[in-house]
């Protein structure tokens, strides 16, 4: 197939996927999952709607071949909400193509990855069934990645697993062998409500929150001194502050949310202890009541930087698109952690597209880059499925 023909085929499939709204929250993946199963059926591949972990939010698993090694191609079909549509130049679900880029929510994160995984699975299936490749291919269209739900984890537990995994997030086709972890902490600072005409009768939770915010600023400065060669710095960023019920009421509570990005050598229970010690000291020093909970956790994950499997993807990416072959880690959190930590599977984060477009207004993907991604994926996958990767 010519490059132009391949790009058109990819554009059409990405467009179809983008036009199916799959916002999470609330979790509208069903129609997209059904579309993918029907697409595979039209291509002679038996794909399954997996109604776990939630019966009303199916995801998709497919397996072609019975040989080894097995390569898993993973993508998630949920997207973050489009937000204020007036801020978009193009309809977020219109899949408009302009200047060789396709616009829409999820175009980069990550329906392009899902699309090239679908196309690669279909092409490799023909070669596997013709006994041209000894290995087998597994496909995932997972739910709930944007909200840390166990979509990919469940697919792996349901038997859609393998020897190697590729999580097709947008990395500009750089091969990530490690990723930061992420934990969200919700901190509640208590006060005592009163009418604002009698403010001294109560205790203002917003004012009580100030020393907490100061302490969190100092904590962020402390953790930023922790660095990793591939992942850079750790962070503790205040991302939300919520307080007050009415203009004339002294607020009885303030809620602070922090986004804690941690390195592979940091342990989540140690971070819990750091947070608890910090808040206990503030509470004691300022005689205020503070409680906290960790509301979401993405574990950090890493494989050896000199992995032969990763080297295959580095080489094919450089061949197709002159991508750097230097070892690299991704700062965002992806479902690769489920492969490495939960399924003990050697896996990378890799895919076409620019992660800086994720979650933005006018999110878009360069279609030539998507086509290069499919070419590199097919080349790397064939090498893996031929058993040419050293264990």
């Amino acid at each position: 197939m010519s490059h132009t023909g391949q790009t058109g085929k990819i554009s059409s499939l990405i467009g179809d996927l983008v036009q199916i709204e799959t916002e999470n929250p609330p979790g509208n993946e069903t129609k997209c999952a059904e579309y993918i199963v029907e697409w595979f059926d039209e291509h002679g591949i038996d794909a399954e709607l997996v109604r776990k972990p939630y019966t009303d939010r199916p995801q998709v698993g497919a397996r072609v071949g019975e040989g080894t090694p097995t390569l898993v191609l993973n993508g998630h079909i949920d997207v973050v909400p489009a937000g204020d549509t007036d801020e978009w130049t193009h309809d977020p679900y219109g899949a408009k193509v302009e200047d060789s880029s396709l616009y829409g929510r999820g175009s980069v994160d990550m329906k392009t990855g899902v699309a090239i995984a679908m196309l690669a699975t279909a092409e490799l299936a023909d070669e596997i069934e013709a006994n041209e490749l000894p290995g087998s291919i597994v496909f995932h269209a997972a739910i709930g990645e944007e909200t840390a739900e166990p979509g990919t984890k469940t697919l792996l537990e349901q038997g859609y697993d393998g020897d190697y995994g590729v999580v097709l997030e947008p990395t500009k086709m750089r091969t990530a062998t490690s990723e930061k972890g992420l934990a969200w902490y919700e901190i509640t600072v208590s006060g005592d409500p009163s009418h604002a005409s009698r403010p001294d009768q109560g205790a203002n939770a917003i004012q009580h929150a100030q020393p907490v915010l100061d302490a969190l600023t100092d904590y962020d400065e402390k953790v930023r001194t922790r660095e990793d060669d591939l992942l850079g710095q750790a962070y503790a960023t205040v991302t939300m502050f919520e307080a007050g019920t009415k203009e004339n009421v002294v607020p009885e509570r303030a809620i602070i949310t922090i986004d804690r990005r941690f390195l592979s050598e940091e342990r989540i229970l140690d971070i819990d202890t750091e947070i608890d010690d910090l808040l206990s000291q503030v509470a004691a020093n300022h005689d205020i009541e503070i409680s906290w909970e960790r509301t979401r956790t993405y574990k950090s994950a890493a494989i050896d930087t000199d992995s032969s499997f990763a080297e295959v993807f580095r080489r094919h990416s450089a061949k197709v698109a002159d991508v750097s072959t230097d070892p690299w880690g991704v700062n965002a959190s992806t479902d690769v952690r489920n492969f490495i930590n939960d399924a003990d599977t050697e896996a990378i984060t890799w895919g076409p597209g620019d992660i800086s477009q994720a979650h933005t207004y006018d999110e878009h993907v360069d279609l030539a880059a998507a086509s290069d991604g499919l070419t590199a994926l097919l080349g790397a996958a064939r090498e893996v499925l031929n058993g040419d990767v050293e264990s």
Side-chain angles (χ1 to χ4, degrees), residues 4-230:
T4 301
Q6 177 170 282
T7 302
K9 192 173 184 179
I10 293 170
S11 175
S12 177
L13 183 54
I14 297 171
D16 285 352
L17 295 174
V18 166
Q19 289 177 73
I20 305 172
E21 183 262 289
T22 55
E23 291 187 0
N24 181 29
N28 294 330
E29 301 98 338
T30 299
K31 289 183 179 179
C32 190
E34 291 172 345
Y35 171 92
I36 292 170
V37 168
E38 291 173 5
W39 187 93
F40 274 123
D41 183 62
E42 292 170 0
H43 288 76
I45 295 172
D46 185 19
E48 177 190 9
L49 284 176
V50 178
R51 297 190 179 276
K52 293 182 179 180
Y54 313 118
T55 58
D56 60 341
R57 291 171 61 191
Q59 45 191 353
V60 182
R63 178 183 290 271
V64 179
E66 298 179 355
T68 58
T70 300
L71 175 65
V72 183
L73 304 181
N74 169 274
H76 66 84
I77 53 176
D78 61 321
V79 302
V80 297
D84 183 358
T85 56
D86 289 339
E87 295 290 332
W88 287 74
T89 303
H90 305 288
D91 178 353
Y93 297 107
K96 171 79 171 179
V97 176
E98 184 176 287
D99 296 330
S100 301
S101 291
L102 187 148
Y103 287 76
R105 173 58 81 227
S107 53
V108 157
D109 186 17
M110 60 175 294
K111 287 178 176 175
T112 289
V114 173
I116 68 169
M118 292 166 67
L119 292 165
T121 299
E123 187 163 336
L124 294 167
D126 292 339
E127 298 170 26
I128 291 169
E129 291 167 357
N131 295 317
E132 296 172 8
L133 291 173
S136 54
I137 196 84
V138 168
F139 169 87
H140 290 177
I143 61 98
E145 189 273 348
E146 296 291 358
T147 48
E149 294 168 278
T152 293
K153 184 175 186 290
T154 301
L155 287 169
L156 292 166
E157 291 171 346
Q158 292 297 305
Y160 291 105
D161 56 357
D163 302 293
Y164 304 100
V166 184
V167 177
L168 287 147
E169 295 278 6
T171 67
K172 292 186 177 179
M173 291 168 55
R174 291 200 72 180
T175 302
T177 53
S178 60
E179 69 171 9
K180 285 183 181 177
L182 161 63
W184 288 350
Y185 290 89
E186 187 174 277
I187 300 164
T188 301
V189 183
S190 297
D192 188 17
S194 68
H195 197 284
S197 65
R198 300 184 299 278
D200 295 339
Q201 181 178 319
N204 195 318
I206 293 176
Q207 293 174 341
H208 284 182
Q210 187 58 57
V212 178
L213 293 169
D214 292 341
L216 290 173
T217 297
D218 293 341
Y219 178 63
D220 180 47
E221 291 178 359
K222 174 184 175 181
V223 301
R224 282 170 181 254
T225 64
R226 303 171 189 172
E227 295 188 9
D228 178 273
D229 289 342
L230 299 185

Side-chain angles (χ1 to χ4, degrees), residues 300-338:
S300 59
I303 63 172
D304 290 341
T305 56
D306 60 356
S307 154
S308 296
F309 172 61
E311 184 57 33
V312 169
F313 277 82
R314 291 187 186 116
R315 185 165 12 91
H316 282 272
S317 298
K319 178 181 177 182
V320 170
D322 195 27
V323 175
S324 172
T325 58
D326 291 341
W328 185 67
V330 64
N331 289 327
S333 295
T334 79
D335 278 355
V336 79
R337 69 190 183 281
N338 296 134

